[in-house]
Protein backbone atom coordinates (compact mmCIF):
# COMPACT_ATOMS: atom_id res chain seq x y z
CA UNK A 1 0.00 0.00 0.00
CA UNK A 2 1.10 3.56 -0.65
CA UNK A 3 0.88 6.61 1.57
CA UNK A 4 -0.04 10.21 0.83
CA UNK A 5 3.64 10.93 0.22
CA UNK A 6 3.27 9.50 -3.27
CA UNK A 7 -0.20 10.84 -3.98
CA UNK A 8 -1.85 14.16 -4.63
CA UNK A 9 -1.91 16.37 -1.50
CA UNK A 10 -5.23 16.90 0.26
CA UNK A 11 -6.83 19.48 2.48
CA UNK A 12 -6.81 18.78 6.20
CA UNK A 13 -9.65 18.99 8.72
CA UNK A 14 -8.71 18.13 12.30
CA UNK A 15 -11.55 17.90 14.81
CA UNK A 16 -10.59 17.61 18.47
CA UNK A 17 -12.90 17.12 21.42
CA UNK A 18 -12.04 17.52 25.08
CA UNK A 19 -12.10 14.68 27.60
CA UNK A 20 -13.80 12.09 25.37
CA UNK A 21 -13.27 8.62 26.78
CA UNK A 22 -12.58 6.40 23.78
CA UNK A 23 -14.84 3.60 24.96
CA UNK A 24 -17.89 5.86 24.99
CA UNK A 25 -18.49 5.91 21.26
CA UNK A 26 -20.33 3.47 19.06
CA UNK A 27 -17.42 2.56 16.80
CA UNK A 28 -15.37 1.59 19.87
CA UNK A 29 -18.06 -0.87 20.87
CA UNK A 30 -20.13 0.85 23.53
CA UNK A 31 -23.59 -0.75 23.74
CA UNK A 32 -25.54 2.35 24.86
CA UNK A 33 -24.03 5.55 23.44
CA UNK A 34 -25.11 6.68 19.98
CA UNK A 35 -22.43 8.44 17.91
CA UNK A 36 -23.55 7.90 14.31
CA UNK A 37 -21.37 10.62 12.81
CA UNK A 38 -18.13 9.48 14.43
CA UNK A 39 -19.08 5.91 13.51
CA UNK A 40 -19.68 6.89 9.88
CA UNK A 41 -16.29 8.63 9.74
CA UNK A 42 -14.65 5.47 11.05
CA UNK A 43 -16.54 3.35 8.53
CA UNK A 44 -15.16 5.33 5.60
CA UNK A 45 -11.67 5.50 7.07
CA UNK A 46 -9.40 3.86 9.63
CA UNK A 47 -10.02 3.61 13.36
CA UNK A 48 -7.07 3.13 15.71
CA UNK A 49 -8.25 0.91 18.53
CA UNK A 50 -5.11 1.57 20.63
CA UNK A 51 -4.69 5.34 20.85
CA UNK A 52 -3.36 7.36 23.78
CA UNK A 53 -2.89 10.87 24.97
CA UNK A 54 0.72 11.79 25.73
CA UNK A 55 -0.41 13.47 28.95
CA UNK A 56 -3.85 12.96 30.53
CA UNK A 57 -4.65 16.62 31.18
CA UNK A 58 -5.66 19.45 28.86
CA UNK A 59 -2.78 21.92 28.55
CA UNK A 60 0.18 19.51 28.27
CA UNK A 61 -1.77 17.22 25.92
CA UNK A 62 -2.47 20.13 23.60
CA UNK A 63 1.22 21.05 23.62
CA UNK A 64 2.03 17.46 22.58
CA UNK A 65 -0.62 17.63 19.86
CA UNK A 66 0.64 20.94 18.47
CA UNK A 67 4.39 20.33 18.58
CA UNK A 68 4.58 16.58 17.96
CA UNK A 69 6.99 16.24 20.87
CA UNK A 70 6.88 14.66 24.32
CA UNK A 71 6.76 16.93 27.35
CA UNK A 72 10.22 15.90 28.50
CA UNK A 73 11.53 17.04 25.10
CA UNK A 74 10.10 20.55 25.35
CA UNK A 75 8.52 21.38 28.74
CA UNK A 76 4.98 22.76 29.19
CA UNK A 77 4.59 20.27 32.00
CA UNK A 78 1.23 21.01 33.55
CA UNK A 79 -1.89 23.19 33.58
CA UNK A 80 0.11 26.12 34.96
CA UNK A 81 2.79 25.95 32.24
CA UNK A 82 0.96 26.49 28.95
CA UNK A 83 2.43 26.41 25.45
CA UNK A 84 3.77 29.85 24.50
CA UNK A 85 4.53 29.60 20.78
CA UNK A 86 8.28 29.11 21.13
CA UNK A 87 8.38 25.51 19.89
CA UNK A 88 7.50 24.85 16.26
CA UNK A 89 4.02 23.43 15.63
CA UNK A 90 2.53 21.78 12.57
CA UNK A 91 0.53 25.00 12.14
CA UNK A 92 3.78 26.97 11.87
CA UNK A 93 5.12 24.61 9.23
CA UNK A 94 1.99 24.65 7.10
CA UNK A 95 1.62 28.42 7.25
CA UNK A 96 5.29 28.96 6.38
CA UNK A 97 4.79 26.79 3.30
CA UNK A 98 1.96 29.02 2.12
CA UNK A 99 -1.03 27.03 3.31
CA UNK A 100 -4.03 28.69 4.94
CA UNK A 101 -4.29 27.11 8.41
CA UNK A 102 -6.99 28.40 10.76
CA UNK A 103 -8.21 27.35 14.19
CA UNK A 104 -11.74 27.62 15.55
CA UNK A 105 -12.33 27.04 19.25
CA UNK A 106 -10.33 25.90 22.24
CA UNK A 107 -6.55 26.10 22.08
CA UNK A 108 -5.60 26.34 25.77
CA UNK A 109 -2.28 28.03 25.07
CA UNK A 110 -0.86 30.88 27.15
CA UNK A 111 -2.70 33.51 25.13
CA UNK A 112 -0.51 36.53 25.83
CA UNK A 113 -0.40 39.40 23.31
CA UNK A 114 2.21 38.96 20.59
CA UNK A 115 2.60 35.20 20.92
CA UNK A 116 2.44 33.38 17.59
CA UNK A 117 1.01 29.86 17.57
CA UNK A 118 1.36 29.37 13.84
CA UNK A 119 -2.21 29.88 12.66
CA UNK A 120 -3.22 32.15 9.82
CA UNK A 121 -6.14 33.16 12.01
CA UNK A 122 -7.55 32.08 15.38
CA UNK A 123 -11.35 32.24 15.63
CA UNK A 124 -12.90 32.52 19.13
CA UNK A 125 -9.86 30.92 20.79
CA UNK A 126 -10.07 29.82 24.40
CA UNK A 127 -6.74 30.24 26.14
CA UNK A 128 -5.81 29.79 29.79
CA UNK A 129 -7.07 32.31 32.32
CA UNK A 130 -4.82 35.34 32.85
CA UNK A 131 -2.04 33.70 30.84
CA UNK A 132 -1.30 31.55 33.90
CA UNK A 133 -3.78 28.70 34.05
CA UNK A 134 -4.22 26.49 37.09
CA UNK A 135 -1.59 27.72 39.52
CA UNK A 136 -2.75 25.37 42.28
CA UNK A 137 -1.30 22.53 40.22
CA UNK A 138 2.16 23.87 41.05
CA UNK A 139 1.69 22.74 44.66
CA UNK A 140 3.01 19.18 44.55
CA UNK A 141 3.41 18.46 48.25
CA UNK A 142 0.80 18.54 51.02
CA UNK A 143 -1.82 18.83 48.33
CA UNK A 144 -4.52 21.46 48.68
CA UNK A 145 -8.14 20.35 48.45
CA UNK A 146 -10.01 21.73 45.45
CA UNK A 147 -13.02 23.65 46.72
CA UNK A 148 -14.48 23.85 43.22
CA UNK A 149 -14.90 20.06 43.12
CA UNK A 150 -18.61 20.45 43.90
CA UNK A 151 -19.21 21.58 40.32
CA UNK A 152 -18.81 18.04 38.93
CA UNK A 153 -21.96 16.84 40.73
CA UNK A 154 -23.62 20.21 41.24
CA UNK A 155 -23.76 21.20 37.57
CA UNK A 156 -24.69 17.77 36.18
CA UNK A 157 -28.08 17.73 34.50
CA UNK A 158 -30.13 18.99 31.57
CA UNK A 159 -29.71 22.47 30.13
CA UNK A 160 -27.23 24.72 28.39
CA UNK A 161 -23.90 25.44 30.02
CA UNK A 162 -21.07 27.78 29.05
CA UNK A 163 -19.38 25.02 27.08
CA UNK A 164 -22.43 23.85 25.12
CA UNK A 165 -23.09 27.44 24.05
CA UNK A 166 -19.43 27.82 23.09
CA UNK A 167 -19.50 24.60 21.10
CA UNK A 168 -22.59 25.76 19.22
CA UNK A 169 -20.69 28.90 18.19
CA UNK A 170 -17.59 26.91 17.21
CA UNK A 171 -19.68 24.55 15.11
CA UNK A 172 -21.51 27.39 13.39
CA UNK A 173 -18.26 29.18 12.57
CA UNK A 174 -16.72 25.96 11.25
CA UNK A 175 -19.66 25.43 8.90
CA UNK A 176 -19.36 28.98 7.59
CA UNK A 177 -15.59 28.64 7.13
CA UNK A 178 -15.94 25.43 5.16
CA UNK A 179 -18.64 26.89 2.92
CA UNK A 180 -17.13 30.34 2.37
CA UNK A 181 -13.42 30.39 3.16
CA UNK A 182 -12.29 26.94 2.04
CA UNK A 183 -13.38 27.44 -1.61
CA UNK A 184 -11.13 30.52 -1.83
CA UNK A 185 -8.00 28.44 -1.19
CA UNK A 186 -7.18 27.45 -4.75
CA UNK A 187 -3.38 27.60 -4.79
CA UNK A 188 -2.59 25.12 -2.02
CA UNK A 189 -4.50 22.75 0.25
CA UNK A 190 -6.03 24.37 3.32
CA UNK A 191 -5.99 23.16 6.92
CA UNK A 192 -8.66 23.78 9.55
CA UNK A 193 -8.41 22.83 13.22
CA UNK A 194 -11.84 22.72 14.91
CA UNK A 195 -11.51 22.30 18.66
CA UNK A 196 -14.74 21.52 20.53
CA UNK A 197 -15.05 21.35 24.31
CA UNK A 198 -17.69 18.66 24.89
CA UNK A 199 -17.79 16.32 26.74
CA UNK A 200 -15.54 18.18 29.23
CA UNK A 201 -17.39 19.00 32.44
CA UNK A 202 -19.55 20.81 33.58
CA UNK A 203 -21.80 17.86 32.82
CA UNK A 204 -24.66 20.06 31.65
CA UNK A 205 -26.08 18.51 28.49
CA UNK A 206 -28.82 19.75 26.15
CA UNK A 207 -32.10 18.23 27.43
CA UNK A 208 -32.84 16.16 24.34
CA UNK A 209 -29.50 14.39 24.79
CA UNK A 210 -29.51 14.25 28.60
CA UNK A 211 -32.90 12.59 29.01
CA UNK A 212 -32.22 10.07 26.25
CA UNK A 213 -29.65 8.52 28.56
CA UNK A 214 -31.00 9.44 31.99
CA UNK A 215 -34.24 7.61 31.13
CA UNK A 216 -32.40 4.58 29.74
CA UNK A 217 -32.34 1.72 32.29
CA UNK A 218 -29.24 0.37 30.53
CA UNK A 219 -27.20 3.47 31.44
CA UNK A 220 -24.10 1.97 33.07
CA UNK A 221 -22.87 3.04 36.49
CA UNK A 222 -19.11 3.38 37.04
CA UNK A 223 -17.10 0.23 37.54
CA UNK A 224 -15.54 -0.37 40.97
CA UNK A 225 -17.64 2.52 42.24
CA UNK A 226 -18.72 1.03 45.58
CA UNK A 227 -16.26 2.01 48.28
CA UNK A 228 -15.97 -1.57 49.51
CA UNK A 229 -15.17 -2.81 46.01
CA UNK A 230 -12.35 -0.50 45.02
CA UNK A 231 -8.78 -1.64 44.59
CA UNK A 232 -7.08 1.68 45.19
CA UNK A 233 -3.49 2.50 44.40
CA UNK A 234 -1.94 5.22 46.64
CA UNK A 235 -1.72 7.55 43.64
CA UNK A 236 -5.49 7.30 43.15
CA UNK A 237 -6.11 7.88 46.85
CA UNK A 238 -3.98 11.00 46.64
CA UNK A 239 -5.70 12.34 43.55
CA UNK A 240 -9.15 11.69 45.05
CA UNK A 241 -8.10 13.65 48.14
CA UNK A 242 -7.02 16.69 46.16
CA UNK A 243 -9.99 16.47 43.79
CA UNK A 244 -12.84 15.24 46.03
CA UNK A 245 -15.42 15.20 43.23
CA UNK A 246 -17.06 12.06 44.55
CA UNK A 247 -17.74 13.55 47.98
CA UNK A 248 -20.43 15.75 46.45
CA UNK A 249 -22.60 13.06 44.89
CA UNK A 250 -25.80 12.27 46.73
CA UNK A 251 -26.67 8.67 46.09
CA UNK A 252 -27.13 6.73 42.87
CA UNK A 253 -29.45 9.34 41.34
CA UNK A 254 -26.70 11.95 41.50
CA UNK A 255 -24.25 9.59 39.86
CA UNK A 256 -26.78 8.76 37.13
CA UNK A 257 -27.24 12.47 36.44
CA UNK A 258 -23.49 12.87 35.96
CA UNK A 259 -23.21 9.80 33.72
CA UNK A 260 -26.24 10.91 31.68
CA UNK A 261 -24.75 14.39 31.42
CA UNK A 262 -21.50 12.98 30.07
CA UNK A 263 -23.25 10.64 27.65
CA UNK A 264 -25.50 13.50 26.57
CA UNK A 265 -22.46 15.66 25.89
CA UNK A 266 -20.89 12.86 23.83
CA UNK A 267 -24.08 12.74 21.75
CA UNK A 268 -24.04 16.55 21.47
CA UNK A 269 -20.40 16.36 20.33
CA UNK A 270 -21.35 13.81 17.70
CA UNK A 271 -24.20 16.04 16.50
CA UNK A 272 -21.78 18.93 16.03
CA UNK A 273 -19.27 16.73 14.23
CA UNK A 274 -22.07 15.72 11.89
CA UNK A 275 -22.87 19.36 11.12
CA UNK A 276 -19.21 20.09 10.37
CA UNK A 277 -18.82 17.06 8.11
CA UNK A 278 -22.07 17.89 6.32
CA UNK A 279 -20.69 21.37 5.63
CA UNK A 280 -17.51 19.81 4.28
CA UNK A 281 -19.63 17.66 1.94
CA UNK A 282 -21.68 20.67 0.84
CA UNK A 283 -18.49 22.62 0.08
CA UNK A 284 -17.54 20.05 -2.52
CA UNK A 285 -14.16 19.41 -0.86
CA UNK A 286 -14.90 16.18 1.01
CA UNK A 287 -13.23 13.92 -1.56
CA UNK A 288 -10.06 16.00 -1.38
CA UNK A 289 -9.85 16.36 2.41
CA UNK A 290 -8.17 14.22 5.07
CA UNK A 291 -10.24 14.27 8.26
CA UNK A 292 -8.84 13.42 11.69
CA UNK A 293 -10.99 13.06 14.79
CA UNK A 294 -9.41 12.67 18.22
CA UNK A 295 -9.54 14.00 21.79
CA UNK A 296 -6.95 15.46 24.12
CA UNK A 297 -7.55 12.79 26.81
CA UNK A 298 -10.36 10.80 28.39
CA UNK A 299 -12.34 10.91 31.65
CA UNK A 300 -12.39 8.46 34.57
CA UNK A 301 -16.13 9.10 34.88
CA UNK A 302 -16.44 7.70 38.37
CA UNK A 303 -14.48 4.47 37.82
CA UNK A 304 -12.78 3.53 41.11
CA UNK A 305 -14.56 6.55 42.64
CA UNK A 306 -12.46 8.98 40.56
CA UNK A 307 -13.79 11.66 38.20
CA UNK A 308 -11.93 13.85 35.73
CA UNK A 309 -8.62 12.90 34.13
CA UNK A 310 -5.00 12.75 35.40
CA UNK A 311 -4.64 8.95 35.67
CA UNK A 312 -3.12 6.37 33.37
CA UNK A 313 -6.10 4.04 33.45
CA UNK A 314 -7.70 3.44 30.05
CA UNK A 315 -10.67 5.65 30.93
CA UNK A 316 -8.39 8.69 31.22
CA UNK A 317 -5.35 7.90 29.05
CA UNK A 318 -6.94 6.18 26.03
CA UNK A 319 -8.47 8.40 23.36
CA UNK A 320 -10.52 7.98 20.20
CA UNK A 321 -8.56 8.36 16.98
CA UNK A 322 -10.15 8.10 13.54
CA UNK A 323 -8.80 9.23 10.17
CA UNK A 324 -10.48 9.25 6.77
CA UNK A 325 -9.54 10.70 3.41
CA UNK A 326 -8.46 10.04 -0.14
CA UNK A 327 -5.34 8.08 0.85
CA UNK A 328 -6.69 6.26 3.91
CA UNK A 329 -7.95 2.65 3.87
CA UNK A 330 -11.74 2.39 4.28
CA UNK A 331 -13.28 0.34 7.05
CA UNK A 332 -9.97 -0.62 8.62
CA UNK A 333 -9.38 -1.10 12.34
CA UNK A 334 -5.69 -0.75 13.14
CA UNK A 335 -4.10 -2.34 16.19
CA UNK A 336 -0.94 -0.25 15.88
CA UNK A 337 -0.67 2.01 18.96
CA UNK A 338 -0.77 5.73 18.12
CA UNK A 339 -0.86 8.94 20.13
CA UNK A 340 -1.29 12.69 19.83
CA UNK A 341 2.30 13.27 18.73
CA UNK A 342 1.41 11.47 15.49
CA UNK A 343 -0.80 14.35 14.35
CA UNK A 344 2.18 16.61 13.48
CA UNK A 345 3.64 14.27 10.81
CA UNK A 346 0.09 13.45 9.68
CA UNK A 347 -0.66 17.12 9.00
CA UNK A 348 2.50 17.56 6.95
CA UNK A 349 1.90 14.30 5.10
CA UNK A 350 -1.70 15.19 4.22
CA UNK A 351 -0.96 18.54 2.58
CA UNK A 352 2.11 17.32 0.71
CA UNK A 353 4.93 18.29 3.07
CA UNK A 354 5.77 14.78 4.20
CA UNK A 355 9.37 15.16 3.09
CA UNK A 356 9.85 17.81 5.81
CA UNK A 357 9.13 15.36 8.64
CA UNK A 358 12.42 13.44 8.73
CA UNK A 359 14.62 16.48 9.31
CA UNK A 360 12.69 17.36 12.45
CA UNK A 361 13.44 14.03 14.16
CA UNK A 362 9.99 13.81 15.65
CA UNK A 363 9.00 10.76 17.72
CA UNK A 364 5.66 10.38 15.89
CA UNK A 365 4.62 8.91 12.55
CA UNK A 366 1.99 9.91 10.03
CA UNK A 367 -1.35 8.28 10.76
CA UNK A 368 -1.84 8.02 6.99
CA UNK A 369 1.31 5.93 6.72
CA UNK A 370 0.40 3.85 9.79
CA UNK A 371 -3.05 3.16 8.38
CA UNK A 372 -1.61 2.01 5.07
CA UNK A 373 0.95 -0.36 6.55
CA UNK A 374 0.61 -3.73 8.22
CA UNK A 375 -0.43 -3.56 11.85
CA UNK A 376 2.44 -3.23 14.32
CA UNK A 377 0.87 -3.94 17.73
CA UNK A 378 4.29 -3.83 19.42
CA UNK A 379 4.83 -0.16 18.63
CA UNK A 380 5.38 1.68 21.94
CA UNK A 381 2.90 4.30 23.12
CA UNK A 382 4.05 6.70 25.85
CA UNK A 383 2.40 9.14 28.24
CA UNK A 384 3.56 11.22 31.22
CA UNK A 385 1.89 13.29 33.93
CA UNK A 386 3.40 15.90 36.23
CA UNK A 387 0.53 18.03 37.42
CA UNK A 388 -2.34 18.81 39.67
CA UNK A 389 -3.44 16.40 42.39
CA UNK A 390 -0.19 14.44 42.37
CA UNK A 391 2.92 14.39 44.51
CA UNK A 392 4.41 11.77 42.17
CA UNK A 393 5.54 11.92 38.58
CA UNK A 394 3.75 9.32 36.46
CA UNK A 395 4.96 7.61 33.26
CA UNK A 396 3.14 5.04 31.12
CA UNK A 397 4.23 2.78 28.29
CA UNK A 398 2.03 0.45 26.28
CA UNK A 399 4.17 -2.48 25.19
CA UNK A 400 2.20 -4.99 23.18
CA UNK A 401 -0.57 -6.39 25.38
CA UNK A 402 0.93 -4.85 28.52
CA UNK A 403 0.56 -1.43 30.08
CA UNK A 404 3.23 -0.39 32.57
CA UNK A 405 2.74 2.62 34.85
CA UNK A 406 5.79 3.98 36.64
CA UNK A 407 5.48 6.30 39.65
CA UNK A 408 8.47 8.21 40.99
CA UNK A 409 7.02 7.89 44.49
CA UNK A 410 4.77 4.81 44.53
CA UNK A 411 4.87 1.14 43.49
CA UNK A 412 4.48 0.53 39.75
CA UNK A 413 1.49 -1.06 38.08
CA UNK A 414 1.36 -3.62 35.28
CA UNK A 415 -1.76 -4.71 33.43
CA UNK A 416 -2.29 -7.36 30.78
CA UNK A 417 -4.85 -5.51 28.67
CA UNK A 418 -5.54 -8.52 26.47
CA UNK A 419 -6.62 -10.66 29.43
CA UNK A 420 -7.76 -7.80 31.66
CA UNK A 421 -9.06 -4.85 29.58
CA UNK A 422 -10.73 -3.27 32.62
CA UNK A 423 -7.42 -3.19 34.55
CA UNK A 424 -8.81 -5.03 37.54
CA UNK A 425 -5.70 -7.10 38.25
CA UNK A 426 -2.38 -5.35 38.85
CA UNK A 427 0.26 -7.99 38.06
CA UNK A 428 3.36 -5.88 38.76
CA UNK A 429 4.18 -8.03 41.78
CA UNK A 430 3.38 -11.37 40.13
CA UNK A 431 6.60 -13.41 39.68
CA UNK A 432 5.12 -15.02 36.57
CA UNK A 433 5.27 -11.62 34.87
CA UNK A 434 8.74 -10.55 36.02
CA UNK A 435 10.09 -10.72 32.45
CA UNK A 436 7.16 -8.64 31.16
CA UNK A 437 7.81 -6.07 33.86
CA UNK A 438 11.48 -5.85 32.90
CA UNK A 439 10.64 -5.48 29.23
CA UNK A 440 8.29 -2.60 29.97
CA UNK A 441 10.80 -0.90 32.24
CA UNK A 442 13.42 -1.17 29.51
CA UNK A 443 11.00 0.37 27.02
CA UNK A 444 10.41 3.31 29.35
CA UNK A 445 14.14 3.75 29.98
CA UNK A 446 14.72 3.93 26.22
CA UNK A 447 12.39 6.94 26.07
CA UNK A 448 13.43 8.87 29.19
CA UNK A 449 14.86 8.68 32.69
CA UNK A 450 11.84 9.21 34.97
CA UNK A 451 13.89 10.42 37.95
CA UNK A 452 15.76 13.02 35.90
CA UNK A 453 12.59 14.22 34.20
CA UNK A 454 10.85 14.51 37.55
CA UNK A 455 13.72 16.63 38.85
CA UNK A 456 13.45 19.01 35.90
CA UNK A 457 9.70 19.29 36.36
CA UNK A 458 9.94 20.16 40.03
CA UNK A 459 12.59 22.79 39.40
CA UNK A 460 10.36 24.46 36.82
CA UNK A 461 7.29 24.27 39.06
CA UNK A 462 9.22 25.73 42.01
CA UNK A 463 10.29 28.61 39.76
CA UNK A 464 6.72 29.30 38.64
CA UNK A 465 5.36 28.94 42.16
CA UNK A 466 7.83 31.53 43.47
CA UNK A 467 7.05 33.87 40.58
CA UNK A 468 3.37 33.75 41.52
CA UNK A 469 3.80 34.52 45.20
CA UNK A 470 4.33 31.06 46.65
CA UNK A 471 2.09 28.34 48.00
CA UNK A 472 -0.31 30.40 50.06
CA UNK A 473 -0.82 32.96 47.31
CA UNK A 474 -1.79 30.42 44.65
CA UNK A 475 -4.07 28.55 47.06
CA UNK A 476 -5.74 31.82 47.98
CA UNK A 477 -6.26 32.54 44.27
CA UNK A 478 -8.51 29.52 44.19
CA UNK A 479 -9.62 26.70 41.97
CA UNK A 480 -10.71 27.42 38.42
CA UNK A 481 -12.89 24.36 38.19
CA UNK A 482 -12.82 24.77 34.42
CA UNK A 483 -11.50 27.45 32.10
CA UNK A 484 -14.20 29.95 31.09
CA UNK A 485 -14.84 30.28 27.35
CA UNK A 486 -14.32 33.63 25.59
CA UNK A 487 -16.57 36.34 26.97
CA UNK A 488 -17.28 34.54 30.26
CA UNK A 489 -15.78 35.83 33.51
CA UNK A 490 -13.55 33.42 35.42
CA UNK A 491 -15.17 31.68 38.39
CA UNK A 492 -12.60 31.13 41.12
CA UNK A 493 -13.89 29.72 44.40
Amino acid sequence: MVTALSNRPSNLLVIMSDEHQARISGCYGHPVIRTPNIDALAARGTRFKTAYTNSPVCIPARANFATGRYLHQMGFWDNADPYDGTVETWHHVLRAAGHRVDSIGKLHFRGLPGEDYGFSQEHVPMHVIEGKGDLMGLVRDELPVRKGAWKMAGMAGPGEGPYTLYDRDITARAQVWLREEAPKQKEKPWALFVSLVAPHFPLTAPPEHFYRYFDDPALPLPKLYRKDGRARHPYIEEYAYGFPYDDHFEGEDGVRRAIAGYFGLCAFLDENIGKILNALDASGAAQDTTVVYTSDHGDNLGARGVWGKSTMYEESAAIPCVIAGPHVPRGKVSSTPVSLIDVFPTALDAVGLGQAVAARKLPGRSLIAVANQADAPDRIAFSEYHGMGSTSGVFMVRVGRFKYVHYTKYPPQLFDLAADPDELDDIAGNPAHAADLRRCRDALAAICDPAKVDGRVRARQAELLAANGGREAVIARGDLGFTPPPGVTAAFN
Side-chain angles (χ1 to χ4, degrees), residues 377-397:
D378 288 334
R379 185 190 185 210
I380 306 298
F382 170 81
S383 189
E384 58 188 307
Y385 182 78
H386 308 284
M388 54 193 193
S390 167
T391 63
S392 175
V394 189
F395 302 80
M396 182 276 288
V397 286

Side-chain angles (χ1 to χ4, degrees), residues 151-330:
K151 296 175 184 177
M152 183 71 76
M155 298 180 73
E160 294 284 352
Y163 281 171
T164 56
L165 295 174
Y166 183 39
D167 272 0
R168 291 187 189 278
D169 187 28
I170 293 167
T171 300
R173 290 171 183 266
Q175 293 175 81
V176 173
W177 196 97
L178 289 166
R179 293 297 298 269
E180 298 191 4
E181 193 61 41
K184 298 177 185 177
Q185 309 306 312
K186 300 185 183 301
E187 297 299 319
K188 290 191 175 185
W190 51 260
L192 179 65
F193 173 41
V194 182
S195 186
L196 299 161
V197 189
H200 192 291
F201 65 90
L203 301 177
T204 308
E208 66 273 23
H209 294 302
F210 175 84
Y211 288 114
R212 179 191 307 168
Y213 297 104
F214 187 72
D215 294 339
D216 188 342
L219 183 72
L221 292 177
K223 73 182 181 190
L224 298 178
Y225 185 71
R226 289 179 49 184
K227 288 183 171 61
D228 60 358
R230 300 173 187 171
R232 295 281 283 266
H233 187 274
Y235 175 86
I236 301 301
E237 296 282 0
E238 183 175 76
Y239 178 76
Y241 169 81
F243 285 84
Y245 295 124
D246 201 55
D247 292 354
H248 300 278
F249 285 94
E250 297 182 2
E252 183 176 308
D253 184 72
V255 175
R256 282 184 60 83
R257 289 179 72 83
I259 300 296
Y262 185 88
F263 275 54
L265 288 172
C266 289
F268 175 64
L269 162 69
D270 185 78
E271 174 189 317
N272 288 327
I273 289 175
K275 291 177 179 179
I276 295 166
L277 295 179
N278 285 340
L280 177 65
D281 287 340
S283 75
Q287 298 303 313
D288 297 312
T289 301
T290 298
V291 180
V292 177
Y293 169 65
T294 191
S295 194
D296 56 354
H297 51 76
D299 191 305
N300 289 291
L301 203 60
R304 304 170 186 83
V306 176
W307 303 79
K309 48 265 188 177
S310 304
T311 79
M312 292 299 179
Y313 289 110
E314 291 291 283
E315 289 84 3
S316 172
I319 56 174
C321 186
V322 175
I323 184 170
H327 311 303
V328 177
R330 297 176 65 92

Side-chain angles (χ1 to χ4, degrees), residues 38-104:
I38 297 173
D39 300 349
L41 184 67
R44 69 176 181 88
T46 295
R47 175 175 65 86
F48 297 94
K49 67 178 183 179
T50 307
Y52 288 98
T53 182
N54 300 114
S55 186
V57 69
C58 295
I59 292 172
R62 288 167 183 273
N64 294 135
F65 165 82
T67 68
R69 300 185 184 278
Y70 297 132
L71 300 183
H72 64 265
Q73 295 176 321
M74 61 170 178
F76 312 116
W77 302 106
D78 56 56
N79 271 11
D81 196 7
Y83 173 69
D84 60 6
T86 57
V87 178
E88 182 185 62
T89 65
W90 57 267
H91 346 130
H92 283 111
V93 178
L94 268 60
R95 188 185 64 185
H99 299 269
R100 178 68 182 265
V101 51
D102 281 19
S103 72
I104 305 176

